[in-house]
Every structure is written in structure tokens, then in C-alpha cells.
Amino acid sequence: MSSSSGSTPEPVGSGHTVDRIDFLRAGGETGALIAEMDWTDSPIGPVRDWPQTLLSALGMLLHSPTPIVMLWGPKGVMLYNDAYSVFAGGRHPRLLGSNVLEGWPEVADFNRHVMQVGLAGGSLSYKNQELVLYRNGLPESVVMNLDYSPVFDEAGRPAGVIAFVLEVTEQVRAEAALKAERDRAHSVLAGMTDGFLLLAHDFTILEINAEGVRVDGRPRETFIGQNHWDVWPDTFDMSIGHIYRQAMTERTAFAIENRYEFPDGRITWLDVRGNPVEEGLAIFFRDITERKLAEDHLRLMVHELNHRVKNSLATVQAIATQTLRSGGVPHEVREALTSRLLALARAHDVLTDTKWAGAELEEIAAQAAEPYGADRFKIEGPRVTLPPRTAIAMALAFHELATNAAKYGPLSNDTGQVHLGWCLDTDHSPPKLHLVWRETGGPPVSPPKRKGFGSRLIQQGLAAEFVGEVRMEFLSSGLVCEVEAAVPSAKPEDWADWRDR
């Protein structure tokens, strides 16, 4: 038989045949092809002889947007609609009117079974059925949802099989790719040492990993699909609840350390970091309870150590005072030693407050000026953090300078002043500190005949700690002490040039 659209049309001899052909032409491009074909030598004969059941079924499938093919008669002659012609690819229109076993030879066994079941009155249904088809001359692995039902003739006997064909290849592949991606993500999450929580925009819990379950202690089913505020109701009014809602609303990341009390009474510290994602909010958290306990223990130890060091300094001061007094040492010597020990103790107190992370230069300067009154000192300069040893050396140097100023310089009268200023020169990296102690308004000054302990402590001690240069100039108007040194611990925000102040 010939199934091409160029075949000789069947002669039209009656109004009944004309109606049938017009009916087919109304069924889209494929319906028009069926109307134009010569079906004389076909196993199902010319259109005028087709039974009404065949025509009714054909009318239904031609007007359906779903790919449908009908296999009519024992040979399974193929009649289908426009949607199926798209599915058929390069085999259309040759498939039209062909026997199904010949039209799809690569799946002949599959279709033979379909015909046997359908013509026996049975139905078949396949979901995600994989077949290899040669639609365009090359093998393609396709996935389809297939539903087969018998079509009965006027006598009630199965005369054909109608098939609903829905190709889901791309959908199945996309789902498989998504599943593989999710499996990889689950594998990564399962191996993470951090807990992970994925919240939807309405705070529904979409995912939690094994570490997250371990930290909480309840089964995974407790979380998935539940609202965060229902699972952990106490967190809604906590600061963490506000941070979560702000991050979700403003799409901003956050990082905090937070204390939690779980339903079973456990107290746990978590390092929590959140990042907005397309799904909602991804939260990573790490149990830092042991670290917090260790920090608390260390804090207690440092506090106790500081307390003991402070007591030791007081003991040293008392012993020195008693020893020097009983040894007939002059009062001035005893007072100098005692004041130096007090200066050391005050510097120690400043460092204790910062857990020995360092001390602010301004605070060390203010401490030296305190005994003489704020109006006698003018202190100015940018923020500079000194390391512990340097802070102690600077505190002792300021003490010596202030003591000398009180004995011989501007602090010995009611009008003299000390100007203490510093700046950071950003032309160097790290920035260079330039500090000046300048005395004015005191008695005339002349250079000392010999260099005492205080002068040696200032010049040698500071120079050693700063790895810089210390200059002392005894002008008639008052002492000027200059220090120049690199300050590696200076913070970037402090790198301002204050030379013009």
C-alpha cells in the first residue's frame, strides 16, 4: 500500500463519503492527510467502508491535544493525530496507515504484546517506560507514559487498540538530575561537621542534616515540614528570632554566638551563621559549648592569676618599704621605689581589664596625669593599642616624666602644663608613631649633670620596647621628650596623619 500524501484520492461517489472526508479534513493536518490517502489496498479498506466505531474513535483522537494513536484491526493499522505526528518525528507521515509492527520495528515485540492484550479486551498502562526508538534515523532513549485500551466494534468485539502516548523524557531526566543533585547535597550535608538548617520564606524547615539532629537530640521527623517557631518556640522572642526575621526580610547575612536551652534542659552554645538563598534562609551552626566552657575556665584562671599578681605586687611594695625603712634608706628613695611599684600595678590593672590583649595609649597617658589634675595636662592623639610589654614600659616612662615634672618642672608650680601628643605617619607600613612630651610654664630647666635611673628607664627602656628612637632635650622652657617608633599593632582605622594637629 501507499501511505504518502501524494496518493490518488479515493473517488467521491455519494454524499455519505463526502461527509466522511469533510469530517476527516476538520481534524488538523493529520486528519487532512487521512482524507487524501487512497485506502483501497489497506487492510482496513476505503474510508466509505470504515465502521462507525472506528470513525467515532478517530474523530475523538484527531481533535485531542494529547498524542494518541489507534491501532486498528489484527495488523494494527496506525491512525493518529497531529500531536502524535510530532512525537513520531522523521517517521511521519510514513507511519500513517502502516502496520505498527512494521512502522516501529525496533519495538515490535513490545507492540506485539500490546496488540495481543488489547485485541483480547485487556488494558495496559506503563509509567516512565524506557524504549529505544529510531525517530530520526538515530537511536534515541526515550521515556514515555503509555495507556492502552481496546476499541470495540458494533458487535462489541475488540477491533483495535487506542494508545495515549505522553513522552516524559526531559521531565524524567530533569527529575533524575535534580535527585542526583539532592543526593550529592545530602551526602555533603551528612558529612559536614557543622549543623545545617534550611528554612523556607515562611520559616518552614525544609532540611536539617545529621549534625543538626545530633545537636538538638530529637528525631529528624520532628523538624522536616514544621515551622521553626513551633519546633523551637522559645527562640521567637529571643534576639536570635529577631535576627532570623531581619535576615529573611532584608536578605542579609549574619554571624552570632548564641546560648540555647533545649527542651531536655541542656544548655548549649552555638556559633550560628545565616545566608539568604533562593529557597529562604540557609543556617550553619556549630556546637561551641566546650569552647565556651574552656573560655569560662580560662577567664576564671586569668582572673585568679591577676588577683594573685596584684597581691604579689602589693606584697613586694610592703616588703620593699619595710626593708628600706629599717635599712635607713632615705625617704626620697623609698618614695621613688614605692611610686614606681604603684605605677607598675596601675598599668597591670589596665592590661587586666583587656585580658592582656593590650592597652590604649590614651588610657596609659591619662593614668599618668591623674594624680596632678586633668587641667595640668593636654593629651591628644589617635587611637593606638600598645602590646602588653610596651604598655608597661610606656606607663613607667610616663610615671618618671610626671614625677620629674612635679619635682623640677611645670607640675612643681600652679601654672605649668604638660602637652602630651602623638600622631601616626601613614607613609610607613606599619605606621610610625611620633610621640612628644613637652613641658611649659615651669622653672627654667638645665640639663642634669648625671643621668639617673629615671632617665635611663625612659631612654633605654622605651627604645628597647619600641625598637625605635627616644630623644630627651632639656630646653630652658622645659623638657621635651620625643619617641619615634613603628607600631605594628595599630589598627587600620587609626592610620590617620595627625602631624598637623
Side-chain angles (χ1 to χ4, degrees):
M1 60 161 271
S2 171
S3 61
S4 67
S5 59
S7 301
T8 304
E10 178 182 327
V12 179
S14 67
H16 178 69
T17 303
V18 171
D19 291 341
R20 289 191 170 196
I21 292 177
D22 289 343
F23 149 73
L24 291 172
R25 286 172 177 160
E29 293 181 5
T30 308
L33 285 175
I34 295 173
E36 296 298 326
M37 287 177 61
D38 182 358
W39 294 90
T40 303
D41 297 329
S42 168
I44 60 176
V47 176
R48 65 173 176 270
D49 295 333
W50 290 359
Q52 187 59 45
T53 51
L54 169 59
L55 294 174
S56 297
L58 185 58
M60 180 274 295
L61 72 86
L62 286 176
H63 289 84
S64 173
T66 302
I68 303 175
V69 59
M70 184 162 54
L71 314 176
W72 191 260
K75 298 289 186 178
V77 176
M78 300 180 69
L79 300 166
Y80 51 82
N81 60 7
D82 285 346
Y84 187 88
S85 72
V86 176
F87 166 79
R91 283 189 167 173
H92 173 74
R94 289 182 292 108
L95 279 180
L96 197 59
S98 67
N99 301 336
V100 66
L101 300 186
E102 298 171 357
W104 295 104
E106 63 270 32
V107 288
D109 290 340
F110 180 85
N111 285 324
R112 185 176 292 109
H113 175 69
V114 167
M115 291 296 297
Q116 289 174 349
V117 173
L119 292 178
S123 299
L124 292 170
S125 183
Y126 299 92
K127 184 173 178 60
N128 294 343
Q129 175 66 45
E130 294 188 36
L131 295 172
V132 176
L133 302 179
Y134 287 76
R135 293 186 291 188
N136 297 294
L138 297 173
E140 293 180 73
S141 178
V142 298
V143 184
M144 294 177 290
N145 292 338
L146 303 167
D147 291 288
Y148 298 95
S149 300
V151 181
F152 298 92
D153 60 15
E154 283 78 357
R157 295 184 299 270
V161 178
I162 193 166
F164 293 82
V165 180
L166 181 62
E167 184 175 358
V168 292
T169 306
E170 294 302 320
Q171 176 185 338
V172 169
R173 287 175 181 170
E175 290 174 352
L178 181 60
K179 182 179 182 303
E181 187 66 27
R182 286 177 175 170
D183 289 344
R184 285 193 294 271
H186 280 297
S187 177
V188 171
L189 293 175
M192 287 174 56
T193 56
D194 287 355
F196 174 77
L197 193 67
L198 180 60
L199 302 179
H201 291 275
D202 62 354
F203 292 97
T204 298
I205 301 172
L206 302 177
E207 185 58 79
I208 186 171
N209 69 347
E211 176 62 11
V213 171
R214 186 200 68 77
V215 169
D216 183 89
R218 289 176 286 178
R220 189 172 187 273
E221 295 73 24
T222 307
F223 313 101
I224 303 300
Q226 303 299 313
N227 189 276
H228 180 280
W229 313 121
D230 293 333
V231 176
W232 296 287
D234 294 342
T235 62
F236 185 85
D237 294 324
M238 293 171 56
S239 61
I240 187 70
H242 172 73
I243 291 170
Y244 277 22
R245 293 191 293 276
Q246 184 179 28
M248 191 76 83
T249 302
E250 300 179 3
R251 313 307 293 159
T252 54
F254 66 86
I256 59 169
E257 291 184 355
N258 208 60
R259 179 181 180 274
Y260 293 85
E261 183 171 354
F262 286 98
D264 59 4
R266 288 179 298 117
I267 302 297
T268 301
W269 278 89
L270 297 179
D271 178 4
V272 185
R273 299 174 184 273
N275 291 282
V277 294
E278 184 177 349
E279 294 84 352
L281 190 63
I283 299 172
F284 299 86
F285 53 93
R286 179 176 298 177
D287 188 341
I288 56 172
T289 306
E290 290 188 7
R291 194 195 84 193
K292 282 291 185 180
L293 293 174
E295 287 176 354
D296 289 342
H297 180 64
L298 180 60
R299 193 176 297 110
L300 289 173
M301 291 181 64
V302 170
H303 178 75
E304 179 63 22
L305 180 60
N306 288 330
H307 181 69
R308 293 189 181 189
V309 170
K310 190 172 184 178
N311 288 343
S312 296
L313 286 172
T315 301
V316 168
Q317 183 181 352
I319 292 173
T321 301
Q322 185 65 33
T323 302
L324 294 175
R325 182 184 295 119
S326 61
V329 176
H331 172 75
E332 293 79 5
V333 176
R334 297 200 306 270
E335 184 179 342
L337 178 59
T338 301
S339 64
R340 284 165 180 161
L341 288 173
L342 282 173
L344 181 62
R346 286 196 298 269
H348 180 275
D349 289 342
V350 173
L351 290 167
T352 298
D353 291 341
T354 65
K355 303 178 181 61
W356 285 79
E360 297 297 325
L361 177 54
E362 184 175 4
E363 187 172 2
I364 294 294
Q367 195 179 70
E370 183 180 2
Y372 308 99
D375 59 326
R376 306 299 298 276
F377 278 79
K378 183 180 181 182
I379 300 173
E380 57 180 351
R383 181 182 177 187
V384 177
T385 303
L386 301 175
R389 286 184 56 183
T390 306
I392 290 175
M394 186 65 80
L396 292 175
F398 284 164
H399 168 75
E400 294 299 326
L401 289 168
T403 300
N404 287 337
K407 287 182 178 181
Y408 314 111
L411 301 182
S412 65
N413 60 29
D414 296 331
T415 59
Q417 280 200 327
V418 174
H419 177 267
L420 177 54
W422 60 90
C423 63
L424 284 171
D425 186 350
T426 56
D427 291 338
H428 299 79
S429 181
K432 179 177 284 189
L433 173 70
H434 179 65
L435 180 146
V436 178
W437 172 291
R438 187 183 302 276
E439 300 177 2
T440 58
V445 173
S446 59
K449 295 180 180 180
R450 65 181 182 87
K451 190 176 290 187
F453 174 79
S455 297
R456 290 195 301 272
L457 185 149
I458 294 170
Q459 289 187 292
Q460 297 175 12
L462 282 184
E465 285 301 331
F466 273 107
V467 192
E469 183 180 357
V470 179
R471 295 185 299 273
M472 297 181 69
E473 189 174 2
F474 294 89
L475 303 177
S476 59
S477 58
L479 171 67
V480 176
C481 178
E482 294 187 74
V483 177
E484 287 191 2
V487 187
S489 61
K491 297 178 175 58
E493 60 267 27
D494 302 331
W495 295 4
D497 190 349
W498 285 62
R499 287 172 293 184
D500 297 331
R501 292 190 54 166

